Amino acid sequence: MERIRLKLSQNALWTHLVLCIFTQIISGSTDFSQRARNLMETNPLIDGHNDLPLQLRRLYKNRLSEIDLRTINTTRTNLHKLKIGHVGAQFWSAYVLCSAQDKDAVRLALEQIDVIKRMCKDYEELELVTSSQGIESTKKIACLIGLEGGHIIDSSLGALRMFYDLGARYMSLTHTCNTPWAETSGGGQHKFYQGRKSLTDFGAEVVREMNRIGMIIDLSHTSSNTSRAVLAISKAPVIFSHSAVFALCGIERNVPDDILLGIKKNKGIVMVNFHKDFIACRKPANISTLADHFDYIKNLTGPEYIGIGGDYDGVNGFPEGLEDVSKYPLLIQELLRRGWQDQEIKGILRENFLRVFRQVEKVREDLQNLKASEVEIPEDELDYSCRLDLRKYERQSRNASGYHESSVSAFPLITYILSCILITMNIH
Ligand SMILES: *[C@@H]1O[C@H](CO)[C@@H](O)[C@H](O)[C@H]1NC(C)=O
Ligand SMILES: *[C@@H]1O[C@H](CO)[C@@H](O)[C@H](O)[C@H]1NC(C)=O
Ligand SMILES: *[C@@H]1O[C@H](CO)[C@@H](O)[C@H](O)[C@H]1NC(C)=O
Ligand SMILES: *[C@@H]1O[C@H](CO)[C@@H](O)[C@H](O)[C@H]1NC(C)=O
Ligand SMILES: [Zn+2]
């Protein structure tokens, strides 16, 4: 009897122990998941880059009336998923294909800004904001506008200023093409302005003007040498709105160590891109692969210079487990599991970006006595084939005959139209 009772209680002990360990494991992981959600509830994410507006053009010709953004499932982003993902502010990318450079890039960018503004007005869950204060005070998902590609301003500081007035708060200096004034990381993908290296003198003027008006400088997509040149002159902190770490995947699109350290010195921020091909160089990728990029930058610079720029709807291929914008909490959970402190997580969710934005606004205030720059890009640095060449009118007006259309002979007009057609045919 005695022995049997002892055996029974031993069994009970074992069962208890196993159950105990089991619940420990379960509650351990739900702890991280719960902690992630709690943190994000009080510190909703500011994401640096989302290309939903590109998909709206590509799939629906910007016809918002045909779709319901709350539930749309042809994209990785919808309002329902943003809520689940605890996104509190989103930079929507006003992106224009490089092929439109020197053609209708300005109009296309205006139309993307239009669709972002309409979307943020039509849905009560969204609100367009244009300042750090706006992000902090809204109870809704804050909409911010980022211009993707310096070709959008058509080498015009006047156009840059007007895009700011429309609400754009960052501009990526290049996309995958060189502009007349800045070199891309995209190599020879496009034929524009081959031979441009780094930042030209006019490019430096663009940077100074962006500092003056309070437009955040985005270095994602620029070449490393362009980034270095900008870091050397910008008075305000700069961002990478959607870029990963070069040391972990050595492509020019990613950020090398010296520039990560440059960002620390500049007090800027690298908002980490989730794209599989950027974080894992075409090898399989999961949440852990992505978390390595956060750990890497944290190890090198400390956690204050890191943010999140998922690039959803801009690329195809996301790590297993992070397929759409509802999944951000899983990344936060993984970082908590790796020992990140709450304060550090709050930083990458929003405080680090807000610090940058506030400082950009402060630099604008400090520079408010400077007048708008009237610098123009030198004529020989532009490709005039698809522009109205105002130079001859200027010469005429100096001869006191004023601007007049009638003086355009048919011949240059025909060459202009022909060359535009030829360029269009060549593009693809
Ligand atoms: C996507 O949405 C459409 C209608 O809005 C619905 O018919 C379809 O079942 C949905 N697909 C998935 C995979 O949820
Ligand atoms: C970047 O600039 C350095 C110094 O001017 C130059 O030596 C190097 O070739 C440049 N890198 C590229 C990829 O052009
Ligand atoms: C991610 O994949 C690696 C192997 O590629 C694996 O060791 C690891 O457990 C995976 N992590 C997660 C969180 O799925
Ligand atoms: C970061 O540093 C920790 C501690 O030294 C190390 O274990 C880890 O492998 C590093 N992570 C990366 C991605 O470099
Ligand atoms: Zn991009």
Side-chain angles (χ1 to χ4, degrees):
M1 270 306 267
E2 229 14 76
R3 275 177 63 179
I4 288 172
R5 201 183 286 156
L6 190 68
K7 207 171 170 191
L8 262 178
S9 71
Q10 257 183 4
N11 275 345
L13 196 70
W14 277 114
T15 319
H16 184 76
L17 208 67
V18 167
L19 266 176
C20 215
I21 291 168
F22 191 66
T23 45
Q24 201 57 41
I25 291 168
I26 299 273
S27 71
S29 70
T30 49
D31 257 351
F32 289 130
S33 151
Q34 197 54 51
R35 252 176 82 196
R37 287 183 186 282
N38 290 347
L39 270 169
M40 294 187 82
E41 209 133 282
T42 43
N43 303 273
L45 170 68
I46 302 172
D47 180 275
H49 198 86
N50 183 300
D51 269 306
L52 178 65
L54 163 67
Q55 299 307 328
L56 295 178
R57 178 185 287 279
R58 204 175 67 82
L59 301 171
Y60 305 104
K61 296 185 175 177
N62 287 356
R63 289 178 188 149
L64 292 177
S65 61
E66 291 177 2
I67 50 182
D68 181 352
L69 288 183
R70 294 191 173 98
T71 54
I72 188 171
N73 62 16
T74 47
T75 53
R76 294 176 186 275
T77 308
N78 68 30
L79 300 189
H80 186 59
K81 286 175 178 161
L82 287 171
K83 278 248 155 77
I84 300 173
H86 293 289
V87 176
Q90 181 64 65
F91 267 100
W92 302 110
S93 171
Y95 162 68
V96 170
L97 287 168
C98 271
S99 311
Q101 172 149 240
D102 293 330
K103 294 167 73 189
D104 46 7
V106 177
R107 172 181 64 88
L108 291 166
L110 289 172
E111 289 174 353
Q112 292 315 91
I113 291 174
D114 168 66
V115 80
I116 294 167
K117 289 195 169 195
R118 286 192 287 133
M119 154 180 124
C120 297
K121 196 166 169 213
D122 287 357
Y123 289 88
E124 62 188 15
E125 296 91 329
L126 303 175
E127 181 183 346
L128 184 75
V129 308
T130 53
S131 63
S132 59
Q133 181 59 45
I135 298 178
E136 288 170 282
S137 57
T138 184
K139 300 268 178 287
K140 303 182 174 187
I141 298 173
C143 291
L144 293 126
I145 301 171
L147 301 176
E148 187 171 24
H151 57 289
I152 286 172
I153 61 165
D154 203 3
S155 302
S156 158
L157 297 180
L160 169 70
R161 290 187 287 266
M162 289 303 97
F163 279 117
Y164 181 90
D165 281 2
L166 288 175
R169 285 299 174 270
Y170 77 60
M171 178 172 79
S172 324
L173 299 191
T174 72
H175 189 248
T176 53
C177 49
N178 289 338
T179 68
W181 45 272
E183 180 192 17
T184 176
S185 65
Q189 284 186 50
H190 296 273
K191 301 292 169 220
F192 300 102
Y193 303 102
Q194 280 173 330
R196 283 293 178 282
K197 291 286 171 222
S198 186
L199 196 67
T200 67
D201 288 347
F202 182 76
E205 190 67 12
V206 173
V207 166
R208 284 188 287 271
E209 193 65 354
M210 289 175 80
N211 283 169
R212 191 188 68 84
I213 65 178
M215 180 91 92
I216 301 169
I217 294 160
D218 176 24
L219 296 178
S220 282
H221 287 289
T222 64
S223 73
S224 296
N225 275 355
T226 305
S227 298
R228 291 182 188 110
V230 171
L231 283 166
I233 60 170
S234 179
K235 290 195 169 70
V238 305
I239 68 172
F240 282 85
S241 69
H242 58 308
S243 291
V245 172
F246 183 89
L248 300 179
C249 170
I251 53 173
E252 178 75 2
R253 177 72 179 72
N254 285 341
V255 191
D257 286 3
D258 72 295
I259 295 177
L260 289 172
L261 291 168
I263 284 288
K264 177 189 170 104
K265 186 158 172 249
N266 163 274
K267 299 192 162 53
I269 184 175
V270 176
M271 305 174 95
V272 177
N273 193 311
F274 289 11
H275 182 30
K276 185 164 72 56
D277 293 350
F278 297 166
I279 63 171
C281 280
R282 293 171 196 274
K283 291 193 286 290
N286 59 22
I287 296 173
S288 181
T289 326
L290 178 62
D292 288 344
H293 286 252
F294 288 81
D295 271 344
Y296 186 90
I297 307 177
K298 184 180 160 199
N299 284 358
L300 187 69
T301 69
E304 298 92 345
Y305 311 100
I306 314 174
I308 294 175
D311 208 0
Y312 283 107
D313 284 314
V315 287
N316 268 323
F318 284 88
E320 195 191 316
L322 291 170
E323 290 80 6
D324 63 57
V325 300
S326 69
K327 305 293 171 60
Y328 293 107
L330 296 175
L331 168 69
I332 301 307
Q333 180 180 336
E334 171 66 10
L335 296 179
L336 288 169
R337 199 187 63 76
R338 290 175 176 217
W340 284 57
Q341 302 300 305
D342 286 7
Q343 209 51 41
E344 299 170 341
I345 298 284
K346 287 179 191 172
I348 64 165
L349 286 172
R350 53 192 284 126
E351 289 308 323
N352 297 342
F353 176 77
L354 284 173
R355 176 199 71 228
V356 169
F357 200 0
R358 287 189 206 109
Q359 186 59 26
V360 167
E361 291 166 341
K362 180 171 183 302
V363 169
R364 178 191 65 201
E365 275 155 35
D366 292 348
L367 298 178
Q368 64 186 331
N369 289 331
L370 289 184
K371 289 259 193 303
S373 168
E374 294 178 344
V375 169
E376 288 180 20
I377 192 165
E379 290 169 6
D380 60 357
E381 292 178 14
L382 273 186
D383 178 358
Y384 265 100
S385 58
C386 281
R387 292 176 173 233
L388 174 61
D389 188 348
L390 285 169
R391 292 171 296 185
K392 50 178 169 276
Y393 302 103
E394 280 154 12
R395 266 175 238 122
Q396 276 168 11
S397 72
R398 271 179 230 129
N399 295 339
S401 58
Y403 274 31
H404 32 131
E405 279 295 354
S406 59
S407 61
V408 184
S409 79
F411 181 68
L413 195 63
I414 288 166
T415 9
Y416 163 74
I417 291 168
L418 268 179
S419 62
C420 282
I421 291 170
L422 282 175
I423 286 177
T424 316
M425 285 164 55
N426 253 332
I427 282 312
H428 299 282

